[in-house]
Amino acid sequence: MPLDRSTLIPALHNLATQLRIDCVRATSKAGSGHPTTCASAADLVAALFAAEMRFDPTRPRHARADRFVLSKGHAAPILYAAWAAVGLFPRDELLTLREFTSDLEGHPTPRLPFVDVATGSLGQGLCAAVGIALNARRIGSDYRTYVLLGDGETAEGSVWEAAEAAAFQKLDSICGITDVNRLGQSRPTMYQHDLDAYARKYRAFGWHTIEIDGHDMGAILDAFAEARQTTGGPTMILARTLKGKGISFVEDKNGWHGKAFKQGEEEERALKELEAQYVDAPADTIARLVAAIPRPEGPADEPAVARASLPAPEYKLGESVATREAYGTALARLGQADPRVVALDADVGNSTFSERFEKVLPERFFEIYIAEQVMVGAAMGLAARGAIPFPSTFACFLSRAYDFIRMAAISGVGVKFAGSHAGVSIGEDGPSQMALEDLAMMRAEPNMTVFYPSDAVSAERLVELAAYTDGPAYLRTSRPKTPVIYGPDERFAVGGSKVLRESASDTATVVAAGVTVFEALKAYDTLRAEGVFLRVIDAYSVQPIDAATLRAAGRQTGNRIITVEDHYAAGGLGDAVAEAVAPEGITVHRLAVREIPRSGKPDELLDHYGISARHIVEAVKAART
Amino acid sequence: MPLDRSTLIPALHNLATQLRIDCVRATSKAGSGHPTTCASAADLVAALFAAEMRFDPTRPRHARADRFVLSKGHAAPILYAAWAAVGLFPRDELLTLREFTSDLEGHPTPRLPFVDVATGSLGQGLCAAVGIALNARRIGSDYRTYVLLGDGETAEGSVWEAAEAAAFQKLDSICGITDVNRLGQSRPTMYQHDLDAYARKYRAFGWHTIEIDGHDMGAILDAFAEARQTTGGPTMILARTLKGKGISFVEDKNGWHGKAFKQGEEEERALKELEAQYVDAPADTIARLVAAIPRPEGPADEPAVARASLPAPEYKLGESVATREAYGTALARLGQADPRVVALDADVGNSTFSERFEKVLPERFFEIYIAEQVMVGAAMGLAARGAIPFPSTFACFLSRAYDFIRMAAISGVGVKFAGSHAGVSIGEDGPSQMALEDLAMMRAEPNMTVFYPSDAVSAERLVELAAYTDGPAYLRTSRPKTPVIYGPDERFAVGGSKVLRESASDTATVVAAGVTVFEALKAYDTLRAEGVFLRVIDAYSVQPIDAATLRAAGRQTGNRIITVEDHYAAGGLGDAVAEAVAPEGITVHRLAVREIPRSGKPDELLDHYGISARHIVEAVKAART
């Protein structure tokens, strides 16, 4: 039973005081952290956790519970203190903050069961919330999504991408709260306490806005109620707060960002002031608050979905099909077989062929328009809540969302990135449209699976494999049509490869992927006509790479390995192969794009930038001398 | 002498028609491109080039000429057609569009003298304009900066970062024009022809807005005049246009994005319709327009600035100084010696130490707040106009601007990126604040110089070297204090390295950089006590890397090379060294971070993730067996 307001408000006030005290203690013990940014948010967080959100304090992963995203991730201690307050773990554990053996890290990560996506890179929380809210629609739940933002992070463009997407999708289940504490890291923010400067922007982006004093508990409760009543679009509560609220010697003062109070006199002084702020209330006040938290309705777990087994791809050997097109076909088939699969587009669905998914499954196709950050951020939120999201765009434009991809890797969420138009083989559009650093970008993340299909059959199979491989994955597709080289029953595996040509008298191994597979096969034909035999390997799994096959090939072909890739020289296939074969003492000769390219015909560019069949032939001949 | 309005408007109309015709011809000849997106913008571009901008058609690089940034870079043909119309090159050359031998690429790049920064990745033009406009202040010029945006790209958050920064900096010399042609690539845009949906947002961000019919030449001229009169902030003209304007069978029709008219009947039909749109005017109309273009005042070239030669760094050997702190000191010294040097901050100047620059040179310090995309985009604009910009933030947050970094590389502009807080050695803040993919990201760009200093002396010298090395450069600095190991007169070079320990009996080479240099030195001491000698190399120039020294070291130490880096395994120092020594047949054993790390103490993390002295010792011992 909910408490009446005259009991509730002092109880929440005391909870907020407890949260502030816990944050001071934890950060002082850790010797670092952000107590002042926790203090500004304490009243908001107390009200959210103990008087607004529906959730089960013992089951933070409940599928239908309201969600809370701490976009201002440096306020992590207050998130931890809130979950301790509702009883998920003992308050004493808060003192392990930032220790190596504790999951209470400096910024929240999903090692903790109540964290959906890692935060700490500012401006990402609202993007994730878009995906979390879209997921509520997907599973037919009315759970709400709350996001606590800092005022400083509102300068990030990604916040406005999310604002636009949330309004366009009419996500009235999103309630943002901006903790306008006036002070950034190095100086006051642009707008300081001018709440209307923020509100004007959100309203222009189609949001309902509410401006309040973020330390007035009654106003906070009213604002949440108003947000809950608001339909047709999201709500942003702009809360005027004081950084360091409740601790007189730091309150509203510049120069205290990210500083813990020194243990001893400084900490004691802060704690003494805070302790004095408890108001008279029954001893069991906080326990009564927790007991009154409304629990979510419906099953705590989504029904299990069996892995879909797709029928064999329908291509004929030798048929010409672009891998990007096969991606679209496979995505639509997969979506029809598995209700968790969703697609996100940045207005290039007719180039990436994700439009094929839209055609058959419009309700699970999310058009995000030209806003790659929120496309990826929303995919993170969807993945964190059980969907299998495929955001797709030109591979080069995934670089726009690299910080999100990085945080997706930290979060370990199963976003399946699909990038088309890889490399110089796109031709005339020129370098701005060519992805030549995407393999480096994706391979850098140690838990990212990286696939690079060469033909339509492998593209289809790798889409399926990406969907059902844990964690983030990347599928790189190409613009040009390429011949189908695999039969419909060919099997592909994470960490696999295909030996396309081999004989006992192979003189060298050429490792290729994507479009360069066909350059390697052409080089094979040329050399074979001269009586020289090559081993040709399609390294469709770039990460993990098939070390065993590569090492064996190297040993069997005179330790001569040549890699060829439509990518810059650093961080791509060549480096992956080189590291894999290094333990055998085998080195690799790398053919890759080594300068900023220009517009031209695809074949012209492959040749000019040194990755055509001719260059492979030359490299093989040079290696044999 | 300017033409009177009754002569001017038909003349501009005819120029717009000529531009449309040239774009159709060029794209049809090329067989690809975007004639319809050129057609919507033709009236705007004609008015800009022939009745608004002050420039010298024969000197596109003039330092005080008004600038034009084509943010919607896929409309490249109309940019080229405009420069042909004003006489920079013959109109016939437009027919080389998208050919390998032509600089008229699919999207504009600075291979062309009238392009400041490459565009084609949407949402970047307004960011660059912020920098171009800030540069006008730096050189004391009143040149104006015009940016033509598409309506679709307005969904990119970077546009709103730029909008905020431009308003905050009161850049009334910026005039944006949004070509609201209603149609994106795959479908209509979110707001179609609702100009006010855009205007509301810009107004909320502090811009003056003007809504016009983008095919009404009088309204266009009036809007430019109003923008020119507007002081205190930037102006956005929102122009209602029709995609494919003037070509009846495509005008305002979905499905014609990025499609050239087929040569033959289709092209002829389009051309015939356009030709019929010329209005009666004297034959020399366009020549008179061009002759009347107002020329810029002041010198066409900025006065030459001699390379500053900084005094020796002021540190004592063994003193403990973080490289990020030395960066701040060096930046301030460099700025005082060279008026071209500017610093840009994303509200972390007290962590990156760029605040030292602000303290002495506040007028060349640009606080961009937490908006890394516009920070980097503005730096691109500044660099394109002769400044030497150092944007700095935590290295991990440069990933937020990777698409801009990629375009900076394509543009070849001399932005000097500075990223602090590299690697797990930051400690307790956890993975969201650790840059572990920045070397991969930066090294992937083939023209990026990458420096990674280990001590304060090398940090200072590498700041100077970065400033005076052509093209983009990256300086990676660390959070922890490290001992000064170089004397004040030590010299550093692009592609250099330092052999810190060597003897005739070295058993292996350890290549380190940054904080791991000190782990390598500790390993050296440990092993030396056991009678085992190591070669230790500080690879401060990660790209280009010192191949000659590394190869020699490998040969002299039994082909045993171990790399150790505070970075993920892919794309960093290990890969750079491995490629450099591969031609000698030498392989490399790499110590690097191979999983997503967590919070902890710096030393604890270095050890846990396998890059501490202990691991180096073990690797050396394993290599010797």
Side-chain angles (χ1 to χ4, degrees):
Chain A
M1 59 246 77
L3 285 71
D4 68 43
R5 202 148 162 134
S6 66
T7 318
L8 179 62
I9 288 182
L12 291 174
H13 174 83
N14 281 354
L15 175 57
T17 298
Q18 174 181 312
L19 297 177
R20 287 190 177 98
I21 288 170
D22 284 351
C23 292
V24 167
R25 282 197 177 126
T27 51
S28 289
K29 172 81 178 354
S32 63
H34 297 260
T36 59
T37 202
C38 293
S40 65
D43 300 297
L44 298 163
V45 171
L48 252 180
F49 274 76
E52 171 62 16
M53 290 200 294
R54 289 169 309 169
F55 67 106
D56 180 342
T58 67
R59 304 193 66 162
R61 292 203 199 277
H62 195 295
R64 278 142 209 279
D66 288 347
R67 311 309 302 167
F68 175 63
V69 182
L70 183 68
S71 190
K72 46 177 282 181
H74 53 296
I78 202 161
L79 173 68
Y80 307 155
W83 280 96
V86 299
L88 185 66
F89 56 88
R91 282 174 66 200
D92 276 358
E93 270 186 35
L94 294 170
L95 297 177
T96 67
L97 180 72
R98 293 175 163 244
E99 288 179 7
F100 183 65
T101 50
S102 171
D103 286 342
L104 303 175
E105 297 194 75
H107 295 76
T109 73
R111 293 184 205 273
L112 294 163
F114 51 83
V115 175
D116 288 331
V117 294
T119 52
S121 180
L122 291 170
Q124 298 202 2
L126 208 56
C127 296
V130 168
I132 293 170
L134 288 173
N135 187 70
R137 282 200 188 147
R138 184 184 69 85
I139 67 169
S141 166
D142 65 349
Y143 72 70
R144 291 177 59 74
T145 304
Y146 296 87
V147 189
L148 182 64
L149 297 94
D151 45 355
E153 69 177 305
T154 305
E156 290 283 12
S158 53
V159 171
W160 301 105
E161 292 185 13
E164 184 154 273
F168 184 79
Q169 297 279 353
K170 304 191 195 309
L171 296 174
D172 49 21
S173 65
I174 291 182
C175 176
I177 309 107
T178 306
D179 178 12
V180 186
N181 68 19
R182 190 183 75 82
L183 296 172
Q185 171 174 325
S186 71
R187 69 198 69 222
T189 60
M190 256 180 276
Y191 306 112
Q192 303 210 31
H193 271 142
D194 180 0
L195 296 190
D196 199 47
Y198 298 99
R200 269 196 307 272
K201 294 181 186 185
Y202 279 105
R203 283 197 301 269
F205 275 74
W207 286 53
H208 178 60
T209 61
I210 307 171
E211 300 176 37
I212 60 167
D213 173 347
H215 303 307
D216 175 341
M217 201 56 85
I220 294 171
L221 294 174
D222 292 344
F224 284 135
E226 182 177 330
R228 231 181 305 118
Q229 311 293 318
T230 302
T231 56
T235 297
M236 180 59 69
I237 298 171
L238 296 147
R240 182 188 193 281
T241 62
L242 300 178
K243 203 158 175 171
K245 169 72 179 175
I247 305 156
S248 64
F249 56 101
V250 300
E251 190 177 282
D252 200 33
K253 289 197 169 66
N254 203 8
W256 278 92
H257 178 94
K259 286 184 185 156
F261 299 109
K262 286 188 199 70
Q263 284 194 301
E265 203 179 327
E266 197 172 83
E267 182 192 0
E268 289 313 317
R269 190 177 159 201
L271 289 175
K272 197 171 163 195
E273 287 193 15
L274 290 169
E275 299 277 1
Q277 291 164 29
Y278 280 119
V279 294
D280 263 0
D284 65 347
T285 295
I286 291 175
R288 287 182 60 203
L289 278 175
V290 173
I293 291 171
R295 299 304 198 263
E297 286 168 19
D301 297 303
E302 279 299 283
V305 179
R307 173 180 170 145
S309 187
L310 294 193
E314 291 165 356
Y315 302 102
K316 291 196 179 76
L317 284 174
E319 185 184 357
S320 247
V321 184
T323 50
R324 62 183 166 124
E325 185 174 351
Y327 162 73
T329 302
L331 189 63
R333 295 175 84 173
L334 187 68
Q336 287 170 305
D338 190 325
R340 295 169 301 180
V341 174
V342 301
L344 300 97
D345 174 40
D347 190 24
V348 288
N350 52 345
S351 287
T352 63
F353 285 92
S354 71
E355 64 179 13
R356 295 201 175 160
F357 185 99
E358 181 180 19
K359 207 170 164 190
V360 295
L361 295 162
E363 72 286 2
R364 278 190 273 136
F365 178 89
F366 303 118
E367 180 54 70
I368 307 288
Y369 297 89
I370 310 175
E372 294 80 9
Q373 294 185 103
V374 66
M375 177 176 73
V376 171
M380 289 163 67
L382 279 155
R385 302 299 297 149
I388 305 177
F390 282 80
S392 32
T393 183
F394 282 33
C396 61
F397 301 135
L398 287 173
S399 66
R400 196 62 157 261
Y402 192 28
D403 192 31
F404 288 76
I405 294 167
R406 180 177 80 87
M407 294 296 286
I410 290 171
S411 302
V413 287
V415 177
K416 314 305 174 180
F417 303 96
S420 66
H421 293 72
V424 300
S425 60
I426 69 157
E428 293 82 354
D429 269 350
S432 66
Q433 318 294 301
M434 297 169 176
L436 287 159
E437 50 283 277
D438 57 315
L439 291 177
M441 174 173 106
M442 295 294 189
R443 283 189 61 244
E445 304 305 336
N447 58 349
M448 182 77 66
T449 302
V450 179
F451 291 142
Y452 185 8
S454 60
D455 83 338
V457 170
S458 51
E460 284 215 27
R461 288 305 192 187
L462 294 173
V463 168
E464 191 182 349
L465 208 51
Y468 298 115
T469 300
D470 279 346
Y474 173 53
L475 186 86
R476 183 187 217 223
T477 63
S478 305
R479 181 177 179 275
K481 293 187 178 196
T482 46
V484 172
I485 55 174
Y486 297 113
D489 299 322
E490 191 80 35
R491 309 305 294 175
F492 298 84
V494 176
S497 69
K498 295 288 173 190
V499 179
L500 298 178
R501 298 288 185 274
E502 80 181 305
S503 78
S505 50
D506 291 343
T507 191
T509 296
V510 176
V511 186
V515 295
T516 61
V517 165
F518 304 94
E519 300 302 316
L521 293 173
K522 275 186 255 173
Y524 173 90
D525 292 339
T526 302
L527 287 166
R528 190 183 165 158
E530 299 174 19
V532 175
F533 287 81
L534 281 189
R535 178 101 22 122
V536 177
I537 296 178
D538 174 4
Y540 64 81
S541 176
V542 178
Q543 178 159 292
I545 199 149
D546 187 354
T549 298
L550 294 168
R551 289 175 191 173
R555 283 193 304 266
Q556 291 158 17
T557 62
N559 286 351
R560 284 182 287 269
I561 298 184
I562 293 155
T563 58
V564 53
E565 61 190 306
D566 195 359
H567 186 272
Y568 287 136
L573 178 66
D575 282 352
V577 174
E579 186 169 19
V581 300
E584 294 283 311
I586 304 173
T587 58
V588 167
H589 181 74
R590 297 157 211 212
L591 302 177
V593 180
R594 290 181 184 273
E595 61 183 296
I596 306 286
R598 58 192 302 151
S599 291
K601 295 192 182 65
D603 286 346
E604 208 166 39
L605 299 181
L606 288 175
D607 196 55
H608 183 79
Y609 295 107
I611 55 173
S612 65
R614 179 171 72 85
H615 292 277
I616 299 170
V617 169
E618 281 171 16
V620 170
K621 289 182 174 173
R624 293 175 74 226
T625 58
Chain B
M1 60 243 82
L3 285 69
D4 68 42
R5 202 149 163 134
S6 66
T7 318
L8 180 62
I9 288 182
L12 291 173
H13 174 83
N14 281 355
L15 175 58
T17 298
Q18 173 181 311
L19 296 177
R20 288 190 178 97
I21 288 170
D22 284 351
C23 292
V24 167
R25 283 199 175 124
T27 50
S28 289
K29 172 82 179 354
S32 64
H34 297 261
T36 59
T37 202
C38 293
S40 66
D43 300 298
L44 298 162
V45 170
L48 253 181
F49 274 75
E52 172 62 15
M53 289 201 296
R54 288 169 311 169
F55 67 108
D56 180 343
T58 67
R59 305 193 64 162
R61 291 204 199 276
H62 194 297
R64 278 142 209 279
D66 288 348
R67 311 309 303 167
F68 176 63
V69 181
L70 183 68
S71 189
K72 47 178 281 183
H74 52 297
I78 202 161
L79 173 67
Y80 307 156
W83 280 96
V86 300
L88 186 67
F89 56 88
R91 283 174 65 199
D92 276 358
E93 269 186 34
L94 295 169
L95 297 177
T96 66
L97 180 73
R98 294 176 162 243
E99 289 179 6
F100 182 65
T101 49
S102 171
D103 287 342
L104 302 175
E105 298 193 75
H107 294 76
T109 74
R111 292 184 207 273
L112 294 162
F114 50 84
V115 175
D116 287 332
V117 295
T119 53
S121 178
L122 291 170
Q124 299 202 3
L126 208 57
C127 296
V130 168
I132 293 171
L134 288 173
N135 187 70
R137 282 199 187 149
R138 184 185 67 86
I139 67 168
S141 167
D142 65 350
Y143 74 69
R144 290 177 60 74
T145 304
Y146 297 87
V147 189
L148 183 64
L149 296 94
D151 45 355
E153 68 176 307
T154 305
E156 290 284 12
S158 54
V159 171
W160 301 105
E161 293 185 13
E164 184 153 276
F168 185 78
Q169 297 281 352
K170 302 190 196 309
L171 295 174
D172 50 20
S173 65
I174 291 182
C175 175
I177 309 109
T178 305
D179 178 11
V180 186
N181 67 20
R182 192 185 73 82
L183 296 171
Q185 170 172 326
S186 70
R187 70 197 69 223
T189 61
M190 255 180 276
Y191 306 113
Q192 302 210 33
H193 270 142
D194 180 1
L195 296 190
D196 200 46
Y198 298 99
R200 270 197 304 274
K201 293 180 186 186
Y202 279 104
R203 282 196 302 269
F205 275 73
W207 287 52
H208 179 60
T209 62
I210 307 171
E211 299 176 37
I212 58 166
D213 174 348
H215 302 307
D216 176 340
M217 201 56 83
I220 296 171
L221 294 174
D222 291 346
F224 285 135
E226 183 176 329
R228 230 180 306 118
Q229 312 292 318
T230 302
T231 55
T235 297
M236 181 58 70
I237 298 170
L238 296 146
R240 183 188 192 281
T241 62
L242 300 178
K243 203 158 174 172
K245 168 73 180 174
I247 305 156
S248 64
F249 56 100
V250 301
E251 191 177 280
D252 200 32
K253 289 197 169 63
N254 203 9
W256 277 93
H257 178 95
K259 286 185 186 156
F261 300 110
K262 286 188 197 72
Q263 283 193 303
E265 203 178 325
E266 196 171 84
E267 182 191 2
E268 291 312 317
R269 189 176 160 203
L271 289 175
K272 197 171 161 193
E273 287 193 15
L274 290 169
E275 299 277 0
Q277 290 164 30
Y278 279 119
V279 295
D280 264 359
D284 65 346
T285 295
I286 291 175
R288 287 180 60 201
L289 279 175
V290 173
I293 291 170
R295 301 305 199 263
E297 286 168 19
D301 298 303
E302 279 299 284
V305 179
R307 173 180 171 145
S309 186
L310 294 192
E314 290 166 356
Y315 301 103
K316 291 196 181 74
L317 284 174
E319 186 184 354
S320 247
V321 185
T323 50
R324 62 184 166 121
E325 183 173 353
Y327 162 74
T329 302
L331 189 63
R333 295 175 84 174
L334 187 67
Q336 288 170 304
D338 189 325
R340 296 170 301 181
V341 174
V342 301
L344 300 97
D345 175 40
D347 191 24
V348 288
N350 52 345
S351 288
T352 63
F353 285 92
S354 71
E355 65 178 12
R356 294 200 177 161
F357 186 100
E358 181 181 18
K359 205 169 166 191
V360 294
L361 296 162
E363 72 287 1
R364 279 190 271 136
F365 178 88
F366 303 118
E367 180 54 68
I368 307 288
Y369 296 90
I370 309 175
E372 295 79 9
Q373 295 185 104
V374 65
M375 177 176 72
V376 170
M380 290 164 67
L382 278 154
R385 303 298 296 149
I388 304 177
F390 282 80
S392 32
T393 183
F394 282 34
C396 61
F397 301 136
L398 287 173
S399 66
R400 196 61 157 259
Y402 192 28
D403 193 30
F404 287 76
I405 293 167
R406 180 177 80 87
M407 294 297 285
I410 291 172
S411 301
V413 286
V415 177
K416 314 304 174 182
F417 304 96
S420 66
H421 293 72
V424 300
S425 61
I426 69 159
E428 291 83 352
D429 270 348
S432 66
Q433 319 294 301
M434 296 169 176
L436 287 159
E437 50 283 277
D438 57 316
L439 291 177
M441 171 173 108
M442 294 295 190
R443 282 188 63 244
E445 306 303 335
N447 59 349
M448 184 76 67
T449 302
V450 179
F451 291 141
Y452 187 8
S454 60
D455 83 337
V457 169
S458 53
E460 284 215 25
R461 288 305 194 187
L462 293 172
V463 168
E464 191 181 351
L465 208 50
Y468 298 116
T469 301
D470 279 346
Y474 174 53
L475 186 87
R476 182 186 217 221
T477 63
S478 305
R479 180 175 179 276
K481 294 187 179 198
T482 46
V484 172
I485 55 173
Y486 296 114
D489 299 321
E490 192 81 33
R491 309 306 295 175
F492 298 83
V494 176
S497 69
K498 294 289 173 190
V499 180
L500 298 178
R501 298 286 185 274
E502 82 181 304
S503 78
S505 50
D506 291 344
T507 190
T509 297
V510 177
V511 185
V515 295
T516 61
V517 165
F518 303 94
E519 300 302 315
L521 292 174
K522 276 186 254 174
Y524 173 90
D525 292 339
T526 302
L527 287 166
R528 189 183 166 158
E530 300 174 19
V532 175
F533 287 81
L534 281 189
R535 177 99 24 120
V536 177
I537 296 179
D538 174 4
Y540 65 80
S541 175
V542 179
Q543 181 160 290
I545 198 152
D546 188 353
T549 298
L550 294 168
R551 290 174 191 174
R555 284 194 304 267
Q556 292 160 18
T557 62
N559 286 351
R560 286 182 286 270
I561 299 185
I562 293 154
T563 59
V564 53
E565 60 191 305
D566 194 358
H567 186 272
Y568 286 137
L573 178 67
D575 282 351
V577 173
E579 185 170 20
V581 301
E584 295 281 314
I586 304 172
T587 59
V588 166
H589 182 74
R590 295 155 213 214
L591 302 178
V593 179
R594 291 182 183 274
E595 62 183 295
I596 306 285
R598 57 192 301 153
S599 292
K601 294 191 184 68
D603 285 345
E604 210 166 38
L605 299 181
L606 288 174
D607 196 55
H608 183 79
Y609 295 107
I611 55 173
S612 65
R614 178 171 72 86
H615 293 277
I616 299 171
V617 168
E618 282 171 16
V620 170
K621 288 182 176 173
R624 292 175 75 223
T625 59

